Amino acid sequence: MIHIGYYTDNNVSHSVMKAFSRSGIIVTHIKNFRPDLTPIFYGILRGCGTAMRLMQHLKKDYYYVDNGYFDAHYMDLNKRKEMSGKYRIVKNAKIETMCINPKKTSTEKLRVLILPPSPYTAFMHDTIPEDWNVESIKRIQAAGHSHHVRNKDEQRTLRKQLSDFDAVYAFNSMGVVEAIELGKAVYTTHGIIRNRDLMEIGAAPYYDIDEIRKFYDSKQFTLEEIADRGVKCLI
C-alpha cells in the first residue's frame, strides 16, 4: 500500500504534511491528487473534502487528519495557531465514534446550546446547517428543553458560554469534549458519541471524561510523533 499526503495552499496544512514527509511518506499538492493511492488529508477545505467524497464513492481507504480530541490548539481570533498540540488521525471518516454508556442520566429539563456544523462539514454528510438546525430544534423542543444556537460570530469562548447552559447538542464539534469536562450533558448526531435518540426518551446523558480520554489518547499525535512514527500512526 502506497500512502501519499496532500497539502493545500494553507500554512497549517503545510506544517502537518511536513511532519509526514519527515517520516518518509511522500507528500504533494492536492492538485496532484490520485485516487489510485491511499491519501492522507488535513482538513476538508481547498479540495480535500471533494477528494474524500470521491474516495468514499470509490469505496477506497483514506486517512483524515485534524485537531485532536484532546490537547489540541485552535486558531485564535487573529487566525494564529500553535502547532504543538495533538492531531487526530482517522481512517475513512472525520471522527472515530466511541461506543460508551453514560455514567448517569437524568430527566431534568435542560438549557441546551446547539453547536451546528459548518457548511463544509455539513456537505461531507449530505446536509446543510439550516436543515440540521431545524431538525435539532424540533427534537429539543419536543423533549421540553429550551435552546440557543451558538452563533459563528460569538466572541465568548465556548467554555465561557457553556456556563449559561446545562447541555450541548452538536453535529460533530470537539466542543462536546469541553462540555463533558465541565460536567454538562451532551448529545451528538455525527460526533464522537452518537446518542441523539436519548433525547427522545427524555434521558440527559452525562459521561466520564477519563473514560473518553483513555479511548482517544492512542488515536492522536503531536507533529513530532507523526514525524517519528510515520505509517505506524495510520491505524
Side-chain angles (χ1 to χ4, degrees), residues 132 135 139 169 187-190 193-200:
W132 183 86
E135 179 63 27
R139 287 177 178 270
Y169 191 103
Y187 303 88
T188 71
T189 61
H190 297 76
I193 305 167
R194 306 199 181 174
N195 62 351
R196 67 181 179 186
D197 292 342
L198 287 178
M199 179 166 281
E200 295 178 357

Side-chain angles (χ1 to χ4, degrees), residues 51-113:
M52 287 166 61
R53 293 306 302 265
L54 176 60
M55 296 302 289
Q56 292 170 351
H57 174 73
L58 296 174
K59 294 181 172 55
K60 292 187 173 183
D61 290 339
Y62 65 90
Y63 290 89
Y64 177 79
V65 184
D66 211 328
N67 291 311
Y69 303 95
F70 291 88
D71 308 316
H73 294 308
Y74 292 85
M75 292 279 188
D76 62 21
L77 293 177
N78 296 313
K79 303 298 182 182
R80 292 177 299 197
K81 174 178 169 63
E82 291 185 32
M83 301 302 296
S84 59
K86 294 288 186 79
Y87 298 83
R88 68 182 187 268
I89 300 179
V90 189
K91 186 177 182 180
N92 298 334
K94 290 178 71 267
I95 290 177
E96 183 167 347
T97 303
M98 180 183 185
C99 294
I100 181 176
N101 293 320
K103 66 178 181 180
K104 68 174 184 177
T105 60
S106 78
T107 57
E108 62 189 313
K109 296 305 177 185
L110 307 172
R111 298 166 297 168
V112 181
L113 179 62

